[in-house]
Amino acid sequence: MEPTPLATAATVRDAVLPVRAASLALRLLSGAGKPSIHGYGSGPSGTCETVWHGLTARGELLVAAIDTFDNPLTGAPALEPISVRLDVVKESPEWAARITACAIHLLGTLQWLPQDDAGGYLDASVNPLVAEAAAMPGGRLGVLRTDRVVLHDSAGVAPMPFADVLASRSPAGAFPSAVEELSAREELERLTQSDLAELFALADDGWDGALPLTSHAVETCASLHGQVLCVDIDRTGLTLMQVDAAGTRTALFAFDQPAGSLSELSGRVGGLAARVGLRRLRS
């Protein structure tokens, strides 16, 4: 039997990055990040930045907003189709600095639901803030339909069909959810700054599980020089940013298997820690 050839960085990248993009898109549509909706075209204009959003078990994208009675977008009649753009921008779970981790954009048609119909769309899988906002005085619940979304993150721009994002859902749902994200970030505390720097050393060594994403020669805050910051944690791996006087560089450190829960994430982080320890032994 011939030995199985080792994966190359290119094959790892081709295997991991599409899964990661779908994972990020699913998390953003499920309720992570800060959303805003903007009317365009011949319909009601206006912008609403006080919005909550999430996906139903059936795959419907819901948005909730408060009608302030002076915004044509939130005050449109029920069931009237409105051409809108939805933007969702997500910051990293990093405590030492503010970093924009990713964003998603889509064009679609929004229809506010009659008050009596709203309850039929809300189920246990929807971001609970959506139901809370819709139940507030002036609250409105709408369905936003689209065919395509565009993800922007450290790996670049990734357009994808909305149906493909829905197809990436697992029984565990989007991981980590907005509720789980801080606990996921705490798991990363098992790795010291020295450990995180070793991960970038592994990238320099050519380790296939380290996928360089961006490198920017920019002015950086002196207090962050020598630090590695968390850009994102998702089911496929850790996206980290190394900062020094010359600028920043970002890389994805892929897990050997996707993580679908906090307990699985703990094991995957432990696997990265073991790889760091092995490199130190060999150095």
Side-chain angles (χ1 to χ4, degrees), residues 10-20:
T11 58
V12 173
R13 179 179 294 273
D14 291 345
V16 171
L17 289 188
V19 176
R20 176 177 177 271

Side-chain angles (χ1 to χ4, degrees), residues 9 62 86 173 219 266:
L62 301 183
L86 172 72
E219 184 176 353
S266 180

Side-chain angles (χ1 to χ4, degrees), residues 204-215:
D204 294 335
D205 291 345
W207 176 45
D208 293 326
L211 306 180
L213 299 176
T214 62
S215 179

Side-chain angles (χ1 to χ4, degrees), residues 36-56:
S36 59
I37 51 176
H38 313 265
Y40 75 92
S42 59
S45 60
T47 293
C48 184
E49 296 186 348
T50 305
V51 187
W52 298 262
H53 70 296
L55 290 171
T56 70

Side-chain angles (χ1 to χ4, degrees), residues 15-168:
V16 171
L17 289 188
V19 176
R20 176 177 177 271
S23 172
L24 292 180
L26 181 61
R27 288 166 58 206
L28 287 166
L29 294 178
S30 296
K34 178 176 174 51
S36 59
I37 51 176
H38 313 265
Y40 75 92
S42 59
S45 60
T47 293
C48 184
E49 296 186 348
T50 305
V51 187
W52 298 262
H53 70 296
L55 290 171
T56 70
R58 297 186 297 270
E60 295 142 329
L61 177 57
L62 301 183
V63 297
I66 307 300
D67 182 14
T68 58
F69 305 103
D70 60 357
N71 188 330
L73 186 61
T74 59
L79 301 181
E80 176 184 328
I82 310 168
S83 296
V84 298
R85 185 182 83 241
L86 172 72
D87 301 325
V88 184
V89 179
K90 182 182 178 303
E91 290 194 350
S92 73
E94 176 55 60
W95 301 315
R98 291 189 65 177
I99 304 170
T100 298
C102 52
I104 201 167
H105 312 281
L106 62 87
L107 298 177
T109 301
L110 171 65
Q111 289 181 293
W112 297 116
L113 297 171
Q115 196 70 32
D116 292 343
D117 293 349
Y121 284 81
L122 295 166
D123 56 46
S125 66
V126 181
N127 174 8
L129 297 178
V130 172
E132 292 178 18
M136 293 174 64
R140 305 200 71 180
L141 182 70
V143 179
L144 206 170
R145 297 179 175 86
T146 188
D147 295 324
R148 179 176 179 268
V149 302
V150 180
L151 175 74
H152 293 254
D153 80 306
S154 304
V157 180
M160 63 192 81
F162 181 69
D164 286 2
V165 178
L166 296 181
S168 71

